[in-house]
Amino acid sequence: GANATYLVRRDLRGRHIGEMLVNDSILQARAQGFRYMQFNGVVDTNIHALHLYQRCGFREVGVIPKGFRIKDGSYQDMHIMYLSLE
């Protein structure tokens, strides 16, 4: 399976850069013959990313409770997002 991680600089958000990256990754993964794509670490508080992946056809297949440590030292749940490329 194909896997990717993206971070878009705060001052560049709102320009659909993340969406372009995700859609291109889907195309590239299909072209390379991958059967699925997943994002392993979508932090619970990143609702914009969660909505983006859902709009692109991904579905949540699991949650890692308290799997991501944020800057203030607290922990947030991480979502695992999956898309079949077949």
Side-chain angles (χ1 to χ4, degrees), residues 36-79:
Y36 68 91
M37 184 165 196
Q38 72 185 51
F39 288 89
N40 291 325
V42 187
V43 181
D44 193 52
T45 55
N46 193 349
I47 58 170
H48 297 292
L50 289 169
H51 291 161
L52 166 63
Y53 299 137
Q54 291 167 350
R55 279 196 317 273
C56 291
F58 286 79
R59 63 183 175 94
E60 182 180 300
V61 293
V63 175
I64 301 170
K66 308 293 184 203
F68 188 85
R69 184 173 183 255
I70 60 174
K71 289 180 183 180
D72 69 4
S74 65
Y75 289 85
Q76 296 292 320
D77 293 347
M78 284 186 354
H79 299 258

Side-chain angles (χ1 to χ4, degrees), residues 6 15-26 52 56:
Y6 302 112
R15 298 182 185 185
H16 303 280
I17 294 169
E19 186 172 359
M20 288 185 280
L21 288 167
V22 171
N23 285 327
D24 186 63
S25 294
I26 292 168
L52 166 63
C56 291

